[in-house]
Amino acid sequence: DPAFDLSPHAARAFGSFHADAEYGEVVWRFAPAAAPTAREFLFHPTQEMTEAEDGSLTVRFTASGHLEMAWHLYMWGDAVTVLAPEPLRAMVDQHRRGDFPALP
């Protein structure tokens, strides 16, 4: 298809996984201790970062790929909270841990 543009299509995914049913707003909040490290990451090309007065960092973007996001978020241990979407929060909350050498 000569009208196909790979960039917007790829931006609908987190990493390489694309699922129309999961596509939507993603919001993660990083704890103040993890915020400096998270600030250095490009999680998604459309991300927006907002710093709170307590030093935490909120990252927002729109994408799909909940399982791939969960794999990535695991390395942050309990230093990240998924605020949206709810299915991703439910998936990640079961595995948030602070008992291993996670980021930052």
Side-chain angles (χ1 to χ4, degrees), residues 5-95:
D5 187 347
L6 182 59
S7 293
H9 176 76
R12 293 180 57 84
F14 181 82
S16 61
F17 189 78
H18 184 281
D20 287 334
E22 292 178 358
Y23 184 74
E25 182 182 40
V26 176
V27 185
W28 301 336
R29 183 176 53 229
F30 292 88
T37 303
R39 217 175 277 113
E40 296 176 9
F41 273 75
L42 176 61
F43 297 102
H44 191 268
T46 65
Q47 74 187 28
E48 296 178 5
M49 295 185 173
T50 307
E51 296 183 40
E53 287 184 24
D54 68 355
S56 64
L57 179 73
T58 300
V59 177
R60 295 176 183 274
F61 57 91
T62 305
S64 64
H66 295 169
L67 183 57
E68 199 160 347
M69 290 179 206
W71 291 333
H72 177 78
L73 293 171
Y74 186 76
M75 71 181 179
W76 292 90
D78 60 359
V80 63
T81 303
V82 174
L83 303 179
E86 182 57 39
L88 177 60
R89 180 194 341 223
M91 187 184 300
V92 171
D93 278 352
Q94 300 173 49
H95 303 287

